Amino acid sequence: MTLKMKKATSPAETARILAEVRREGLSIGLVPTMGALHEGHISLVKMSLERSDYTVVSLFVNPKQFGEGEDLDKYPRTEDRDVATLEELGCDLLFMPDRDSIYTDTDRTKVSISSLGDHLCGASRPGHFDGVLLVVAKLFNMVNPDHAFFGQKDAQQAVIIQRMAADLDFPVRIFLGPTVREADGLAMSSRNRYLTDDERNRAPRMRAGLVAAAEAITNGERDASMLKKLVTASMTEGGFEIDYVECVDGGTLQPVTSANGTILLAAAGKLGRTRLIDNIAMKVGPEGAAETLLEFPEWSRYE
Ligand code: AMP
């Protein structure tokens, strides 16, 4: 932990600072964010501070992961508060690039992934995961972290990033942090501030449905269609316009008909104009069922 957080706005400046850090033999942890920091982000920064000698947080509202008509222009920006929060936490380096230092008009290279990214959130947000993968691949190359930290809240994103890191031999270990929630269960999200009071009151119905399905699994229910019905019913009651409710395998993210092994119950829907997502991962075996984090065994070949 350093006394004063450094700030860098260009990849070159970041590389200079990190070359020195690496010469000292310190391990580097990276927490990529789009800012408007909340307790979910903070928990990942704390994980990095615990597990890494030197923590880098990136703050970049990545235009390439927003689709046409999405909220890029109104995405919340609370830069001064974010800087103060990170400084207080003991973050070592804040990397806050502008668009032009990440992308140029001559860029041609894409990073995309087959089969994992075209359903769930990928179906209603075409191109979204290509944008995520491109920026994360760039950040991995710019920072070259030993560890990178992502939230289970965006479970599909985390699985896809882990797959990319393994497939392209980024020697980085991906850690997942549990979803941090408001007292009523709503997953924290920078987008929650878009909700009207009435929508905010109804928003926890998504989580409630997922919890009901998880409880049903614990009580022996395995039929995915029954589980999905429980989630759908609760979201409908809350007035959600449902985007998807799925029960998928925790590794392949392909839909399953029966909940066995590690599965992900995932939901997305809109309240008014605000799109919310949430999920619960469950480990289901002959001895019972319990909530879990998705696990990534692939990193170990770089240990
Ligand atoms: P974002 O700024 O929304 O791109 O999120 C940056 C990172 O924080 C991602 O890895 C997210 O999965 C993670 N994150 C967002 N919300 C939460 C939450 N409520 N709990 C845990 N992690 C979260």
Side-chain angles (χ1 to χ4, degrees), residues 32-34 38 40-41 44 75 150-151 153-154 157 178-180 188:
T33 81
M34 298 207 298
H38 51 65
H41 300 111
L44 297 177
Y75 196 82
F150 296 90
K153 148 110 188 321
D154 301 283
Q157 167 175 286
T179 304
V180 178
M188 289 196 184

Side-chain angles (χ1 to χ4, degrees), residues 40-78:
H41 300 111
I42 289 171
S43 71
L44 297 177
V45 176
K46 286 183 174 163
M47 267 181 94
S48 176
L49 289 166
E50 269 168 32
R51 290 173 192 269
S52 322
D53 301 320
Y54 192 94
T55 290
V56 182
V57 174
S58 62
L59 194 169
F60 179 59
V61 182
N62 174 30
K64 299 225 181 209
Q65 69 186 72
F66 289 80
E68 199 89 359
E70 289 190 1
D71 56 343
L72 175 62
D73 292 338
K74 64 172 183 134
Y75 196 82
R77 286 167 170 82
T78 59

Side-chain angles (χ1 to χ4, degrees), residues 36 39 56 68 70 82 94 113 133 145 166 170 191 198 251 261 264 274 278 295:
E39 290 297 326
V56 182
E68 199 89 359
E70 289 190 1
D82 292 349
L94 169 59
I113 196 157
L133 287 178
F170 285 100
R191 292 191 165 98
D198 173 51
L264 187 72
T274 306
D278 204 348
E295 283 166 9

Side-chain angles (χ1 to χ4, degrees), residues 65-175:
Q65 69 186 72
F66 289 80
E68 199 89 359
E70 289 190 1
D71 56 343
L72 175 62
D73 292 338
K74 64 172 183 134
Y75 196 82
R77 286 167 170 82
T78 59
E79 213 172 283
D80 291 347
R81 219 193 62 204
D82 292 349
V83 171
T85 302
L86 292 170
E87 202 137 36
E88 198 171 312
L89 282 167
C91 166
D92 296 287
L93 172 63
L94 169 59
F95 178 37
M96 222 168 25
D98 58 23
R99 187 197 180 282
D100 294 348
S101 58
I102 296 288
Y103 300 116
T104 69
D105 292 340
T106 51
D107 285 354
R108 289 292 177 271
T109 305
K110 284 194 171 166
V111 188
S112 59
I113 196 157
S114 50
S115 81
L116 292 172
D118 48 13
H119 57 305
L120 302 176
C121 286
S124 49
R125 303 186 73 189
H128 168 69
F129 288 119
D130 287 2
V132 170
L133 287 178
L134 185 61
V135 83
V136 172
K138 280 172 169 276
L139 289 169
F140 281 177
N141 280 328
M142 287 170 187
V143 173
N144 192 13
D146 299 277
H147 312 140
F149 299 84
F150 296 90
Q152 163 92 27
K153 148 110 188 321
D154 301 283
Q156 185 179 19
Q157 167 175 286
V159 169
I160 285 174
I161 289 169
Q162 168 62 64
R163 191 69 258 148
M164 175 193 73
D167 291 353
L168 298 183
D169 290 276
F170 285 100
V172 56
R173 180 172 178 185
I174 310 286
F175 288 91

